Amino acid sequence: TWETLLAGLGAVLDTHDILRARTAPGGTGTALTVPEPGSVAAAAILTRVDAAQVPDEGLDEAAERAAHEAVERLP
């Protein structure tokens, strides 16, 4: 279920520091910061795409479109 997926992603985010890491301009360049476990909400970063009405031959295209949209949302 969606809730199970969110819980699993949350556990992975809390376990692996680099998945929470962010870059920001620093005094001498770019600084890497790692927020504390629990500071990144899985629900805020996971997007659900409903492909129930997409025919089998269109699934690759739908997945590619969703991936491109996700890249465009990156800061």
Side-chain angles (χ1 to χ4, degrees), residues 38-66:
S39 63
V40 177
I45 63 171
L46 190 62
T47 302
R48 185 176 189 168
V49 176
D50 184 359
Q53 302 302 318
V54 177
D56 289 348
E57 60 275 3
L59 289 174
D60 286 343
E61 182 181 331
E64 186 173 333
R65 186 172 44 252

Side-chain angles (χ1 to χ4, degrees), residues 4-59:
T4 303
L5 182 59
L6 287 174
L9 178 58
V12 171
L13 289 167
D14 289 347
T15 302
H16 299 284
D17 293 346
I18 199 67
L19 296 178
R20 296 187 312 277
R22 301 288 182 263
T23 58
T28 60
T30 302
L32 182 68
T33 61
V34 180
E36 295 296 317
S39 63
V40 177
I45 63 171
L46 190 62
T47 302
R48 185 176 189 168
V49 176
D50 184 359
Q53 302 302 318
V54 177
D56 289 348
E57 60 275 3
L59 289 174

